Amino acid sequence: MAKERLKEKLEAAGEKLWSLQEMERTGGEPDVVGYDASTDEYLFYDCAPESPQGRRSFCYDRPGQDSRREAKPANNAVDIAAAMGIELLTEEQYRQLQQLGTFDAKTSSWLKTPAEIRQLGGALFADYRYGQVFVYHNGAASYYAARGFRGALRV
């Protein structure tokens, strides 16, 4: 029954289906990780073992990207997520994801950063090392080949 309901919801919201296809196209391997009965929404997260290959080497957001004087990346995580119709995972969502398996054992993922941290120039990212989830901070202008972002989508 839940499968049929999800199929109906996806067919009724073509933009959400497109967002899922973009998550898949960029290497996210999206999957249903929960259901919110209060809003009647299914929750999808990127479940690729490592940060999605097609979403790496980006600064956190446009101000971070614009502040770089040299070696500017092609884009940034916040803008790409918005264009895809998804949200960056929050720290809480990232920790929930890690309960389902081991993710980002060799990569890291930008997280939705609270405004008060972002206003100071920082941004959050996380990974899984030594059997633990680590949440760190970095300048929003930084970018690395092994850092991408994971998304969430409500359908």
Side-chain angles (χ1 to χ4, degrees):
M1 187 66 176
K3 228 181 206 184
E4 285 300 315
R5 178 69 181 130
L6 176 56
K7 182 180 175 188
E8 289 171 10
K9 289 177 80 58
L10 283 169
E11 288 172 351
E15 73 281 355
K16 302 280 185 164
L17 185 55
W18 180 85
S19 293
L20 279 174
Q21 290 170 336
E22 285 299 289
M23 291 171 82
E24 186 66 38
R25 183 186 65 78
T26 57
E29 301 179 25
D31 204 350
V32 176
V33 297
Y35 174 74
D36 185 340
S38 67
T39 61
D40 185 33
E41 292 176 312
Y42 293 89
L43 186 58
F44 287 83
Y45 288 171
D46 285 308
C47 293
E50 301 299 335
S51 195
Q53 182 68 39
R55 295 188 241 147
R56 295 185 195 167
S57 297
F58 300 126
C59 294
Y60 177 73
D61 60 6
R62 173 67 55 189
Q65 182 183 3
D66 289 345
S67 72
R68 291 194 66 91
R69 293 192 176 136
E70 297 177 0
K72 288 189 181 207
N75 214 322
N76 65 80
V78 170
D79 286 352
I80 291 173
M84 293 172 64
I86 63 176
E87 296 280 333
L88 269 66
L89 291 184
T90 64
E91 180 179 349
E92 179 183 353
Q93 290 170 325
Y94 190 84
R95 291 183 184 282
Q96 290 169 351
L97 175 67
Q98 292 289 356
Q99 298 299 310
L100 303 175
T102 298
F103 301 92
D104 288 334
K106 297 176 187 170
T107 58
S108 61
S109 295
W110 287 115
L111 300 178
K112 189 172 186 177
T113 300
E116 54 273 7
I117 293 173
R118 190 58 202 95
Q119 288 169 354
L120 297 171
L124 299 179
F125 69 96
D127 60 27
Y128 185 85
R129 304 288 194 276
Y130 310 109
Q132 299 288 316
V133 174
F134 289 93
V135 176
Y136 311 87
H137 62 88
N138 213 180
S142 67
Y143 69 98
Y144 302 94
R147 182 173 306 150
F149 72 91
R150 294 176 178 278
L153 177 69
R154 291 180 163 272
V155 177

